[in-house]
Every structure is written in C-alpha cells, then in structure tokens.
Amino acid sequence: MKGDIENGAVYASLKGRVTFITGGASGIGEGLVEHFCAQGARVTFVDIAADAGQALVERIKAKGHAAPRFIRCDLKQIEQLRGAIEETVKRDGPIRALLSNAGNDDRHRSEDVTVEYWDDRMAVNLRHQFFAAQAVRPHMRDAGGGSIVNFGSITWLVGDGDCPAYVTAKASITGLTRALAREFGPERIRVNCMMPGWIMTERQVKLWLTPEGEKQIADRQCLPDRLYPADIARMALFLAADDSRMCSSQNFIVDGGWV
C-alpha cells in the first residue's frame, strides 16, 4: 500500500515553513517535495535534472497544492548550492527545514575504483550535506532554531558489497549528523539522519528489482509490503515539524524491518 498525501497526518507547524530539499526532482526527493507542499510549506528544491524539476512543479500546481520553487543546481559545485540557499533566504526568509536527500548509488567494484571516481562519489553523496548545513545554520540560528535531516542509508549497516564508495559515504553521514547535532544544538537546531531501506523508486525498479531482488526483500524485511517514497516523506515531515522538537542526533530507520 503506497498511501496517499491527503490521508496522512497534518503538521500545523509546517504551514508556511521555509523548506529546502536537495535532489528533489525524482525518487525519494520527489516524494519529499510533494508531501511538504501538501502541508503548505514554502518549498525550494534543487536538482541537476532541469526538465524533471520543472515537470514536478507543474504537477504540484495542477493538484492545487502550494507550488514549490525549482532551482537547477549541480551539488558537486558548492558555490551553486550556496547560491541557491541564499536565493531562497532572500525570497522566502530563513530556511527552517533542510532535507539533504541527494545522492547516487551506482554499483561499482573495488578493483575498478579510481581516485577520481572515489572523490566524485564523496562529492555526490556526502560533501554537499555538510556545506548545506553550514550555509543554513546562521539563518536557522537567527530564526530561533530549525531542523536538518541528512539522508543516509541502511547499506552500511548491512554491509552491501556492490558499492563500497557509496556505503562509505552513507556511513559517514551518521558521524556527520552526530557531530553537527552536538555543535548546533545550543542554537536549537536539530540534526537527524534518515536511513531508508530499499525504496521502490522508478530508478530502483528499472535497474535492480530482479526476481533475485524480490526474493531478497521477502527474505530480509520483517514486513511484506514494499517501501515507497511516501513512507520516507511521512517520517521526514515529522522530523521537520515541531512535533519532534526534542529529537536530535538520531538515526531514523524506515526499512520495513530489514536491519
């Protein structure tokens, strides 16, 4: 059961809340954008995929929800990321919720990894999360606090062996989250880590949901149902809302009981 936006919980504190989402044009990020807009948040999202980003804006408008703003951004270029954050603040006011979702889990073998590929994977999956948090911090602080949700993965807990650079980056996000939560906490900025399981995005289904993959899900998950972006979005709404005001420095796993 995928669930729908209209029948989910409503968080009053998210209405009008300035929210910044990375990697929002597809997959889990697309679900985040849809759900936060349905709550009435003032959403800006960034992605490198311009066509998909603009198409998502139009779909949300057509549903009658609060329309998001899309900014094309290559997150490997930190100055572009900083520029998008400052543009958002100038337009909407201080960002109170940051969801650092963007990443790429392309498969690779250790023997094929070059120094250049390794550095690229760190830039795609880890580096931008730190610099996004660094950029929003003064705005959250001056506004009286905020919520940062870094997106990790259960891959490092289970020790996936087909993407070691990705697994390393995702493990590092847990450490980053705990360090920032301790440093930012006195400013009432909460920092948590979301750790999804195997989410049935269009990309995952197309590339990796083989009969063997289906069997793995059946064998590993406690729950029989498939996970969808909406399942992650609903947890993210809670973490961004005032309802979770005393939750920080934690990993929130949504994986159907895989680990």
Side-chain angles (χ1 to χ4, degrees):
M1 185 175 67
K2 296 183 182 181
D4 58 70
I5 294 173
E6 286 72 18
N7 292 330
V10 175
Y11 295 96
S13 61
L14 291 181
K15 187 173 180 60
R17 178 153 296 178
V18 181
T19 302
F20 191 89
I21 300 170
T22 68
S26 63
I28 291 174
E30 179 180 0
L32 295 173
V33 173
E34 291 175 333
H35 278 74
F36 275 85
C37 287
Q39 297 279 334
R42 301 188 69 176
V43 175
T44 294
F45 71 100
V46 295
D47 202 293
I48 199 169
D51 291 345
Q54 293 293 349
L56 178 57
V57 172
E58 296 305 317
R59 287 201 304 276
I60 292 173
K61 281 184 181 178
K63 292 179 180 178
H65 295 150
R69 185 183 191 199
F70 169 64
I71 302 174
R72 186 189 181 281
C73 177
D74 180 353
L75 291 171
K76 292 190 291 183
Q77 305 301 319
I78 299 302
E79 287 308 313
Q80 289 186 25
L81 173 60
R82 287 171 171 159
I85 288 171
E86 289 306 311
E87 185 177 340
T88 299
V89 172
K90 287 179 182 177
R91 178 190 183 225
D92 294 332
I95 294 168
R96 299 294 301 277
L98 166 66
L99 295 101
S100 289
N101 157 77
N104 184 292
D105 63 347
D106 280 351
R107 306 311 195 243
H108 52 273
R109 303 297 299 177
S110 292
E111 59 266 28
D112 299 323
V113 172
T114 63
V115 171
E116 292 76 18
Y117 183 80
W118 179 271
D119 290 346
D120 182 77
R121 294 299 88 185
M122 295 304 114
V124 168
N125 291 303
L126 172 62
R127 188 176 68 184
H128 61 85
Q129 296 207 19
F130 171 81
F131 286 103
Q134 181 191 64
V136 302
R137 179 187 185 181
H139 305 295
M140 287 186 175
R141 179 193 63 220
D142 293 347
S147 175
I148 297 172
V149 183
N150 296 323
F151 277 69
S153 169
I154 67 167
T155 53
W156 70 269
L157 290 175
V158 300
D160 279 358
D162 56 0
C163 49
Y166 175 80
V167 170
T168 300
K170 289 300 183 179
S172 299
I173 290 166
T174 292
L176 172 65
T177 296
R178 293 184 68 83
L180 295 183
R182 183 65 61 184
E183 183 181 357
F184 294 6
E187 299 164 4
R188 294 186 174 84
I189 299 171
R190 300 180 289 111
V191 189
N192 289 293
C193 182
M194 173 78 75
M195 296 174 59
W198 194 352
I199 311 303
M200 296 296 103
T201 64
E202 181 179 350
R203 182 172 184 267
Q204 293 291 321
V205 171
K206 179 180 178 180
L207 294 179
W208 296 301
L209 192 61
T210 62
E212 292 77 15
E214 291 276 14
K215 183 178 185 305
Q216 187 181 30
I217 293 172
D219 290 343
R220 296 298 300 272
Q221 284 188 188
C222 294
L223 300 173
D225 300 316
R226 298 296 178 261
L227 290 152
Y228 294 95
D231 297 305
I232 305 304
R234 284 190 285 266
M235 177 62 82
L237 292 174
F238 169 73
L239 292 175
D242 291 349
D243 300 65
S244 60
R245 73 179 192 91
M246 293 303 289
C247 297
S248 195
S249 192
Q250 302 302 313
N251 291 326
F252 288 83
I253 299 174
V254 182
D255 70 346
W258 190 293
V259 298

